[in-house]
């Protein structure tokens, strides 16, 4: 059995801990500084909860000692601290961050490291890059790669057409920070919440707009090979306009803590959600301009007798699949590992990644 430390006993960390521990191949320690989070974690069988303040570097390094891998499910602003400690401890490092600056620092840490650094192991960034890269390999020459992902309430009932399904801090960050893209063959940064579009899938109308971090490292990987590459978050129509008013007109982008408090006080969380994945790649094959699309809807479902949201099972499943592939020796064991280097077939065949192979699952009761 391999020892894995998961930092962050929140919505995703708890599910990842449960998945790994119940596989009987991992001894899982789940760390957090919140007594309430640890109390919840204590109810997960075969998982050892431990109090840990990531800001205490010495305590973090002691916690990492002897572990095969650490998975950061902590807020994005803590990921670099954990990655630096993992390098010192020579422990394989994985995270779920969408924060571009953090990933750049992690890439630096991976240089000449004796352990593997695998950031952005969630849904987007993460699985979405694996899908896009797999579709792209089927073309002789690429034209465009368009990636769309959303974690949405199954039953929207407020003006935002949205419920909180994962990290509020993460949502705010991706609505504010610059977004990478390739436009007319040039790698550029474009503003968040802009370039709104509408599309329909299975008779449901959605909007999509630029958000930060969803491309992962794919812009760098495909630079010089594609005319258009972009990532946009999917929401129900009307959401972007209200968020722009809050962030720009009311200048809450300058007061993130206040915006977080407002959203968490006024916008209910929900476990009844749906993850929508929509990737379209076009290019030339045998002299013809062709297009391929990958579309999935994944709903909340029961796990170990408890309802888990779609964003929980997809994000945790993706992270656990990467831990598992690493443990099986199917990923590089040192240096920086990109999501798009993972074969989609290998990912979907994995016991944890298989959640994505179950398309359009029936809604849990």
């Amino acid at each position: 059995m391999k020892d894995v430390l998961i930092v962050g006993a929140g919505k995703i960390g708890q599910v990842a801990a449960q998945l790994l521990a119940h596989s009987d191949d991992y001894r899982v320690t789940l760390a957090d500084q919140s007594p309430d989070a640890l109390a919840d974690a204590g109810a997960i069988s075969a998982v050892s909860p431990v109090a840990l303040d990531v800001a205490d570097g010495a305590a973090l390094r002691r916690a990492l000692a002897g572990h095969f891998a650490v998975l950061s499910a902590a807020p994005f602003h803590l990921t670099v601290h954990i990655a630096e400690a993992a390098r010192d401890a020579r422990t394989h490092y994985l995270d779920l961050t969408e924060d571009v600056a953090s990933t750049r620092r992690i890439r630096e840490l991976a240089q000449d490291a004796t352990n593997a650094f695998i950031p952005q192991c969630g849904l987007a960034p993460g699985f979405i890059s694996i899908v896009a890269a797999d579709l792209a390999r089927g073309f002789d020459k690429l034209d465009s790669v368009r990636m769309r992902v959303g974690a949405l309430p199954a039953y929207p009932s407020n003006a935002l057409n949205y419920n909180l399904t994962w990290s509020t801090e993460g949502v705010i960050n991706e609505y504010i920070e610059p977004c990478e893209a390739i436009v007319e063959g040039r790698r550029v940064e474009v503003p968040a919440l802009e370039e709104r579009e509408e599309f329909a899938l299975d008779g449901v109308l959605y909007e999509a707009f630029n958000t930060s971090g969803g491309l992962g490292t794919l812009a760098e990987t495909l630079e010089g090979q594609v005319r258009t590459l972009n990532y946009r978050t999917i929401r129900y129509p009307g959401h972007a306009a209200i968020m722009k008013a809050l962030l720009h007109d009311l200048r809450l982008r300058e007061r993130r803590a206040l915006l977080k408090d407002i959203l968490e006080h006024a916008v209910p969380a929900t476990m009844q959600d749906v993850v929508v994945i929509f990737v379209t790649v076009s290019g030339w094959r045998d002299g013809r301009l062709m297009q391929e699309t990958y579309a999935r809807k994944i709903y909340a479902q029961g796990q170990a007798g408890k309802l888990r949201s779609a964003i929980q099972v997809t994000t945790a499943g993706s992270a656990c699949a990467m831990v598992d592939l690493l443990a099986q020796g199917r990923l590089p064991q040192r240096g920086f590992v990109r999501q798009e280097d993972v074969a989609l077939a290998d990912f979907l065949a994995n016991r944890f990644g298989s959640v994505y192979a179950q398309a359009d699952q029936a809604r849990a009761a």
Side-chain angles (χ1 to χ4, degrees), residues 205-229:
L205 184 64
Y206 301 102
E207 68 178 17
F209 47 84
N210 296 336
T211 55
S212 178
L215 280 184
T217 56
L218 203 58
E220 178 182 343
T221 300
L222 293 182
E223 186 174 13
Q225 302 178 48
V226 66
R227 180 179 61 87
T228 299
L229 169 67

Side-chain angles (χ1 to χ4, degrees), residues 229-251:
L229 169 67
N230 53 51
Y231 171 85
R232 291 173 187 162
T233 286
I234 300 170
R235 295 288 185 256
Y236 295 116
H239 180 86
I242 295 175
M243 290 307 304
K244 287 175 73 172
L246 290 172
L247 289 165
H248 301 298
D249 297 344
L250 299 184
R251 298 176 61 177

Side-chain angles (χ1 to χ4, degrees), residues 279-295:
V279 182
T280 299
V281 178
S282 66
W284 285 265
R285 184 188 299 144
D286 298 326
R288 295 184 63 195
L289 182 62
M290 303 289 292
Q291 176 177 296
E292 296 247 357
T293 297
Y294 179 103

Side-chain angles (χ1 to χ4, degrees), residues 75-98:
F76 73 91
H77 56 84
L78 297 176
T79 54
V80 170
H81 297 292
I82 300 168
E84 289 172 345
R87 179 183 169 100
D88 293 344
R90 299 184 179 182
T91 300
H92 295 308
Y93 171 85
L94 304 93
D95 70 37
L96 304 171
T97 190
E98 78 290 338

